[in-house]
Amino acid sequence: MCFQANLQAQSEIELEAQVINIFENTCAKVGCHIGPNSQMGMRLTKDNFYASIVDEPSAENPNLKRVDPGNPELSYMIKKLKGDADIIGLQMPMTGEISPEEIATIENWIRSIDEVDQSRKQLVEDNNVRPFDGWQILNLPTTQTSPKGTGLFRISHRFNPALSDGFNAFYGLDGSAIIFLGMGYAFTDNLHVSLGRTNASDNFELQGRYRIFDQTTDDKFPFSLSVQSGLNWISEEPVNPEDKRLRGEALKFSAQISATKLLFEKFGVAFVPGILFNPDEKQDDEGPMITLGLGARWNFKKRMSWLF
């Protein structure tokens, strides 16, 4: 009897290890289920997944538990992973990278839970503080990077009509727009490289960002710091037919340092000094441009914030 109980406990431990690995590969990503601002308040990291989901009501459907111990068919998480008709919102994960075999592993783990371990129901706070979850604050870079091995596709529009043009221009939304398309890849958790293009002057941009450190709750690092640099090529056809498209005058180089700090529980600030070499490619003997960007984020609701 004791031997059988030990085998059952071992099976539950092994299943849980597999589930942790599944969550780390599919769900515990920046912008999804990691950190204090995780989606639906559900943290699926190794330290916090148990407290976040086991015997906890679903935020979308409080009548069901995220993980109903011993009952995978009643667990809202399984419904979301399978895309059942009665779920609210979209099927998870957003990446679509979870297999039927992995879902079956999570079901077996839920089925193996005999009783809730109350000693594991306390969330473990992340020592790192990230006041800005997004990639940018309007046009300013944050200190955020993507997890190793992930890609980032960026698309942005800047409409030409001014807001002051009023209703006739639908307050700036009518008319043409400047469009930016970019694709990036995270070589490490701290290093991200991207290549993009905008139709403004046919501008190609090669950019890299390296996160040096994050602000920590123990004040070992009182703020977060990253450095970002970019090489831009103004590839539009030159006015002078004797000039080549790829020439020194058509290249720009920029560097920025992003420093962010969470001042209060729901309020963070960003300080972004920078330098731009060759700001106007049509002007000769031009000195570098020194820039200074300031930004802030106020998280006034649990899932709503204001950037300015």
Side-chain angles (χ1 to χ4, degrees):
M1 196 67 156
C2 181
F3 177 70
Q4 183 178 358
N6 287 337
L7 283 178
Q8 184 176 356
Q10 184 180 8
S11 175
E12 183 177 343
I13 292 172
E14 291 174 349
L15 283 169
E16 183 173 304
Q18 295 177 44
V19 169
I20 290 171
N21 186 59
I22 293 170
F23 287 159
E24 287 181 345
N25 291 332
T26 60
C27 308
K29 305 291 185 182
V30 173
C32 294
H33 297 292
I34 189 172
N37 298 315
S38 57
Q39 296 296 317
M40 299 295 170
M42 188 164 61
R43 309 184 197 180
L44 296 182
T45 56
K46 180 179 180 179
D47 292 334
N48 281 318
F49 84 98
Y50 193 97
S52 287
I53 61 177
V54 176
D55 206 37
E56 289 295 314
S58 163
E60 290 182 342
N61 185 354
N63 293 322
L64 294 177
K65 295 177 180 178
R66 289 169 174 167
V67 165
D68 193 329
N71 301 297
E73 66 281 356
L74 299 179
S75 300
Y76 191 70
M77 171 174 279
I78 298 300
K79 292 178 178 289
K80 290 286 283 188
L81 294 175
K82 290 184 173 181
D84 287 0
D86 59 344
I87 65 172
I88 299 170
L90 300 175
Q91 182 179 357
M92 292 291 133
M94 295 292 288
T95 57
E97 295 175 349
I98 193 166
S99 67
E101 292 77 18
E102 289 172 323
I103 295 176
T105 298
I106 298 173
E107 288 181 306
N108 289 334
W109 169 66
I110 295 174
R111 197 175 288 114
S112 72
I113 303 175
D114 287 333
E115 58 180 305
V116 179
D117 186 351
Q118 295 299 332
S119 65
R120 303 175 64 189
K121 292 298 292 177
Q122 185 68 36
L123 286 173
V124 178
E125 294 300 328
D126 188 355
N127 191 41
N128 293 330
V129 178
R130 301 180 181 93
F132 298 94
D133 292 326
W135 189 254
Q136 291 188 196
I137 317 163
L138 303 180
N139 290 328
L140 297 178
T142 66
T143 57
Q144 191 62 269
T145 55
S146 303
K148 179 182 178 181
T150 61
L152 176 68
F153 176 68
R154 293 173 57 204
I155 178 170
S156 62
H157 290 71
R158 179 179 294 172
F159 294 92
N160 286 321
L163 184 65
S164 59
D165 288 345
F167 182 76
N168 289 334
F170 201 52
Y171 300 97
L173 296 180
D174 280 348
S176 59
I178 296 172
I179 302 173
F180 177 86
L181 296 173
M183 178 64 75
Y185 182 79
F187 290 92
T188 71
D189 287 340
N190 295 321
L191 176 63
H192 189 279
V193 178
S194 63
L195 178 64
R197 180 189 181 276
T198 173
N199 59 336
S201 303
D202 298 338
N203 184 358
F204 283 88
E205 178 183 79
L206 177 63
Q207 190 179 84
R209 179 182 299 181
Y210 183 76
R211 183 175 60 193
I212 301 174
F213 55 76
D214 277 328
Q215 179 182 350
T216 56
T217 54
D218 59 7
D219 289 331
K220 179 181 179 180
F221 297 110
F223 57 90
S224 300
L225 189 69
S226 73
V227 61
Q228 180 168 285
S229 62
L231 177 64
N232 292 70
W233 171 35
I234 307 302
S235 67
E236 64 182 354
E237 188 174 353
V239 176
N240 187 348
E242 296 181 359
D243 289 338
K244 296 181 179 180
R245 287 202 177 195
L246 184 57
R247 61 195 191 282
E249 294 81 4
L251 300 177
K252 302 171 182 284
F253 176 77
S254 63
Q256 291 175 297
I257 296 174
S258 297
T260 63
K261 182 175 179 60
L262 188 68
L263 291 180
F264 310 108
E265 182 181 0
K266 299 182 179 181
F267 187 81
V269 295
F271 178 78
V272 188
I275 186 169
L276 173 62
F277 295 92
N278 191 25
D280 187 350
E281 70 280 0
K282 297 182 178 66
Q283 183 174 332
D284 295 331
D285 300 324
E286 186 182 22
M289 177 186 293
I290 306 298
T291 62
L292 176 60
L294 299 174
R297 175 179 184 256
W298 175 33
N299 193 189
F300 60 91
K301 291 283 188 180
K302 186 174 183 179
R303 298 183 181 90
M304 296 180 68
S305 60
W306 182 27
L307 295 174
F308 54 95

